[in-house]
Amino acid sequence: MSRLQTYYKETVVPQLLEKFSFSNVMEVPRITKITLNMGVGEAVADKKIMDRAVGDMTAIAGQKPIVNLARKSVASFKIRDGWPVGCKVTLRRERMYEFLDRLVNVAIPRIRDFRGLNRKSFDGRGNFSMGVKEQIMFPEIDYDQIDVIRGLDITITTNAKNDEEALALLQAFNFPFREK
């Protein structure tokens, strides 16, 4: 069991039980999955770009991503149906907690000009999304080996009923949110 998973069971669950006065431990919100998504539109010109993006995503997530293909042709973007345009990976259970630990304690503090995460990035159902402008904030990426700086989207899906519960859950995991 990962360090953050034991922290959740021993510290976060009792803290949220008391704060929201849940009657049952199973009512306490938890993180169900983390999805990483990287759009690589420039892979249309060169197929090696997609291989490098998949390599970066594999290093960041610890598991191989799937390559997303274009659903239909768009002439103005010079994209044909079935061409690779992005990659994504879904993390659950042990790998999810390991990634979350690295994200909060190592990667987010390495973001340049960081002033905190936006509290408005919740979707209304307890899910949090954030965008990262450069993949070099993760320590797994070797700065000398990258060809171009790419961004990625990180979506944290919870089973919280509303944004208030999800915010309390993520704050219990020491997410650095901006002050109001």
Side-chain angles (χ1 to χ4, degrees):
M1 191 179 303
S2 69
R3 183 176 71 90
L4 209 60
Q5 197 169 7
T6 56
Y7 175 77
Y8 171 74
K9 288 182 178 180
E10 294 171 1
T11 309
V12 175
V13 170
Q15 182 181 344
L16 293 178
L17 264 171
E18 182 183 322
K19 181 174 182 176
F20 292 106
S21 63
F22 292 124
S23 61
N24 191 346
V25 179
M26 297 303 287
E27 287 182 280
V28 175
R30 65 181 178 275
I31 299 173
T32 55
K33 66 181 176 179
I34 297 176
T35 308
L36 306 173
N37 181 28
M38 185 184 289
V40 191
E42 59 269 10
V44 173
D46 187 10
K47 302 297 181 197
K48 292 179 184 173
I49 294 174
M50 181 57 74
D51 294 337
R52 296 241 174 116
V54 167
D56 287 349
M57 186 81 89
T58 304
I60 291 169
Q63 87 185 34
K64 190 169 191 248
I66 61 169
V67 176
N68 295 335
L69 304 176
R71 292 189 199 141
K72 59 183 179 178
S73 300
V74 181
S76 59
F77 295 130
K78 298 178 183 171
I79 294 176
R80 296 283 172 252
D81 184 24
W83 283 7
V85 291
C87 57
K88 72 175 181 179
V89 63
T90 302
L91 303 172
R92 298 177 198 271
R93 297 178 198 88
E94 195 77 23
R95 282 196 181 123
M96 173 186 71
Y97 282 109
E98 292 291 335
F99 174 78
L100 196 66
D101 193 17
R102 285 185 285 122
L103 178 70
V104 172
N105 296 320
V106 179
I108 289 179
R110 292 178 64 169
I111 297 176
R112 285 188 284 153
D113 300 330
F114 183 70
R115 293 194 175 96
L117 298 172
N118 191 355
R119 292 173 182 257
K120 296 180 181 177
S121 295
F122 288 95
D123 66 348
R125 295 182 179 180
N127 304 318
F128 181 74
S129 296
M130 65 181 274
V132 175
K133 292 182 181 170
E134 43 192 35
Q135 84 273 28
I136 57 174
M137 67 181 234
F138 292 97
E140 297 85 14
I141 303 295
D142 186 18
Y143 189 77
D144 298 329
Q145 298 296 323
I146 62 166
D147 55 339
V148 68
I149 292 179
R150 293 182 192 86
L152 67 137
D153 299 321
I154 302 171
T155 303
I156 300 170
T157 307
T158 67
N159 66 346
K161 296 179 187 82
N162 53 35
D163 291 344
E164 182 186 350
E165 292 177 5
L167 177 66
L169 173 67
L170 294 181
Q171 282 177 332
F173 280 123
N174 298 325
F175 268 73
F177 285 102
R178 262 185 235 145
E179 297 298 320
K180 289 185 179 177

